[in-house]
Amino acid sequence: MSEHAPDITLREQMTPFESVNHYVERAAEHAGIHESVRQRIRMAASELRVEVPVRRDSGEVATYAGYRVQHNSARGPYKGGIRFHPEADIDEVRALASLMTWKTAVIEVPFGGAKGGVQVDASSLSDIEKERLTRAYTRAISSIIGDHRDIPAPDMNTDAQTMAWLADEYANLEGWTPGVVTGKPVPLGGSLGRESATGRGCVVVMEEAIRADEVEPHDVTIAIQGFGNVGSWAARLAHERGYRVTAVGDQHGTLWCEDGLDIDALVRHHGEHGSIDGFEEDADRVELRDAGFVLEAPVHVLVPAAIGGVVHADNVADVKCSLIVEGANHPVTPWADRQLAERDITVIPDILANAGGVLTSYFEWVQNLQQMHWHEGDVLDRLDRGMVAGYWRVRDVAEREGLTLREAAYLIAVGKVCEATSLRSVG
Ligand code: NAD
């Protein structure tokens, strides 16, 4: 079997790329898509592997493996973030690129899917080393990106500053082209509302999902794994709207407070210390539990907003929430997803739940191409409306076809991408 045709039958252990293709294949089957088109949506259109040499502050040169995978551009230019992470290998980047294809389709923005990664422990780099790494990686992928070709954005361990370095390095080669990257700082053509967009989108779809229950926000408890861009903004907005965020966890531990954590104080602590560690020492009634507790906490809503594959065969039975909002990409393995469905635990899938980021990236790109700046209210309004419409598009199909929200989201996305692929047909 070639590496492009992974075994996608449901198993306890599947690689990220096998997992995404498992859902794609099921949707293609349901929609009766022809095998020749299926082959094209299964594999990536192009995969670039680059060596990224970086001069360390010590004077030594370290070299890291970098990737840019372009999955599908049938509906528009490739689009997808760049992550700096030790586990960013080709399989993961390929899976994330594919997820972007489905995400942009389900949220109806005219982009395809791509992803980039550098296999590096970002915490081991100084700021200047991170800048050198970003510039070297940008030079290495510069020939395949562009504002109508492939448009990167932030992801794990990359942020607006990283995107500023990318835009600047690209400008050195091609001239100033703000639309080549999104998630930039606002003074460089970034969009107001982009930084909080993914976390905000998670809260918006959560509210749609629980609307029919007619519960008061204070009676809804939430656990959030990850307190980076997505997790911290989801926590802030949920807290602002009166929900009780009772657990926040990262790789070191879980903060637990049954009355609800003081999220404003936690944000301040995180700003000062760079992590949530030690918050419990100065906070009343906050307990420190182990890192896995956040996933098993007795709450109504779980928002995994850190890494992939955290809810799996070994811990899915301990999940106690009734709703999972996938802030992270592929946080639930297909095996666990099946168990959750059997237990009637609703999962709002990543390709919908965390699409607020790419939706607002699209707004940023449009502003860049038009050389305009929109007011923050306009951006947030469009974001909210886009997420609400996306949620109901998926929910309606799920109800009509008797599918889970994930199955429905893939059915919609695969249908749109296959239609565009066939219309543009390469014969
Ligand atoms: P980030 O780097 O800002 O934050 C990551 C957080 O996860 C940090 O709090 C970190 O401590 C925590 N973490 C790392 N390893 C962990 C582990 N092993 N266990 C528990 N926690 C761990 O990243 P981010 O931008 O917030 O992205 C988080 C997730 O959301 C990723 O899966 C990313 O692909 C996805 N996502 C991000 C965006 C975006 O706009 N940033 C958009 C869509 C999806």
Side-chain angles (χ1 to χ4, degrees):
M1 187 177 292
S2 97
E3 63 175 354
H4 289 306
D7 177 6
I8 49 166
T9 40
L10 184 64
R11 302 184 311 284
E12 271 191 34
Q13 307 288 336
M14 298 176 83
T15 70
F17 190 54
E18 287 169 346
S19 304
V20 179
N21 272 334
H22 169 74
Y23 299 124
V24 172
E25 202 57 33
R26 284 169 58 99
E29 188 74 41
H30 192 103
I33 307 286
H34 193 270
E35 175 56 24
S36 60
V37 181
R38 280 194 209 189
Q39 269 178 16
R40 291 180 56 196
I41 60 168
R42 212 181 276 142
M43 38 192 208
S46 111
E47 301 184 348
L48 179 64
R49 183 193 186 281
V50 293
E51 296 285 313
V52 192
V54 179
R55 185 167 298 282
R56 303 295 304 258
D57 295 341
S58 63
E60 281 171 32
V61 175
T63 303
Y64 303 100
Y67 305 95
R68 185 72 185 170
V69 174
Q70 298 177 327
H71 178 260
N72 187 290
S73 63
R75 298 182 56 263
Y78 296 108
K79 183 87 191 82
I82 292 170
R83 64 170 54 179
F84 293 165
H85 198 269
E87 281 158 32
D89 60 11
I90 185 64
D91 187 88
E92 183 182 73
V93 177
R94 203 181 265 154
L96 293 166
S98 177
L99 276 180
M100 285 304 298
T101 298
W102 316 118
K103 193 178 302 183
T104 53
V106 91
I107 207 67
E108 293 189 343
V109 292
F111 290 133
K115 201 77 177 190
V118 179
Q119 209 165 12
V120 60
D121 175 4
S123 67
S124 70
L125 301 175
S126 66
D127 282 351
I128 187 75
E129 288 170 341
K130 208 168 166 183
E131 176 175 348
R132 290 189 200 116
L133 177 77
T134 306
R135 289 183 183 279
Y137 175 71
T138 304
R139 286 192 296 277
I141 65 165
S142 61
S143 63
I144 61 163
I145 60 174
D147 59 354
H148 283 85
R149 193 173 287 268
D150 182 353
I151 304 143
D155 194 71
M156 283 190 84
N157 299 314
T158 58
D159 56 14
Q161 177 60 70
T162 327
M163 299 307 112
W165 293 325
L166 191 157
D168 184 66
E169 192 61 31
Y170 189 80
N172 292 336
L173 301 166
E174 303 290 340
W176 182 243
T177 317
V180 70
V181 60
T182 59
K184 299 178 293 293
V186 173
L188 296 183
S191 179
L192 293 165
R194 171 64 184 90
E195 204 202 314
S196 61
T198 309
R200 183 182 178 96
C202 290
V203 175
V204 170
V205 291
M206 176 197 81
E207 289 193 312
E208 291 308 303
I210 61 175
R211 187 173 296 284
D213 301 341
E214 294 184 3
V215 276
E216 289 299 318
H218 184 74
D219 295 329
V220 178
T221 52
I222 306 178
I224 301 180
Q225 185 190 43
F227 205 68
N229 174 282
V230 182
S232 69
W233 278 106
R236 282 166 84 157
L237 294 165
H239 182 68
E240 229 173 80
R241 293 178 185 196
Y243 297 97
R244 250 187 313 146
V245 181
T246 52
V248 167
D250 69 5
Q251 60 271 51
H252 305 298
T254 301
L255 300 168
W256 166 253
C257 177
E258 211 156 347
D259 303 333
L261 290 157
D262 179 346
I263 297 298
D264 297 330
L266 185 56
V267 168
R268 281 196 299 277
H269 177 92
H270 191 270
E272 281 162 25
H273 303 275
S275 101
I276 61 173
D277 288 0
F279 178 74
E280 74 286 357
E281 287 164 18
D282 300 318
D284 271 353
R285 300 170 59 83
V286 176
E287 293 167 42
L288 180 64
R289 304 280 184 94
D290 63 46
F293 177 75
V294 69
L295 303 168
E296 301 163 10
V299 290
H300 299 105
V301 184
L302 168 63
V303 185
I307 58 168
V310 292
V311 178
H312 46 70
D314 297 337
N315 64 2
V316 65
D318 300 316
V319 169
K320 296 175 191 65
C321 64
S322 51
L323 172 67
I324 296 182
V325 180
E326 292 188 333
N329 285 312
H330 70 87
V332 174
T333 66
W335 186 267
D337 194 57
R338 172 70 63 84
Q339 317 285 314
L340 293 169
E342 281 169 10
R343 285 170 56 200
D344 282 332
I345 296 176
T346 303
V347 180
I348 306 183
D350 45 10
I351 60 172
L352 170 64
N354 70 35
V358 74
L359 184 54
T360 312
S361 275
Y362 166 62
F363 301 150
E364 179 175 335
W365 182 73
V366 170
Q367 291 171 74
N368 292 155
L369 296 188
Q370 298 181 337
Q371 304 193 34
M372 302 262 297
H373 274 296
W374 299 352
H375 294 295
E376 186 169 22
D378 289 347
V379 177
L380 299 182
D381 216 41
R382 285 171 192 263
L383 166 63
D384 290 357
R385 278 189 278 125
M387 292 304 294
V388 169
Y391 175 81
W392 285 103
R393 210 162 31 244
V394 171
R395 172 87 176 258
D396 287 348
V397 171
E399 282 174 5
R400 195 178 65 225
E401 303 279 326
L403 300 172
T404 65
L405 294 178
R406 193 190 310 278
E407 288 165 339
Y410 272 93
L411 188 64
I412 292 169
V414 166
K416 284 182 193 294
V417 172
C418 288
E419 184 187 20
T421 302
S422 300
L423 286 167
R424 291 179 62 169
S425 165
V426 180

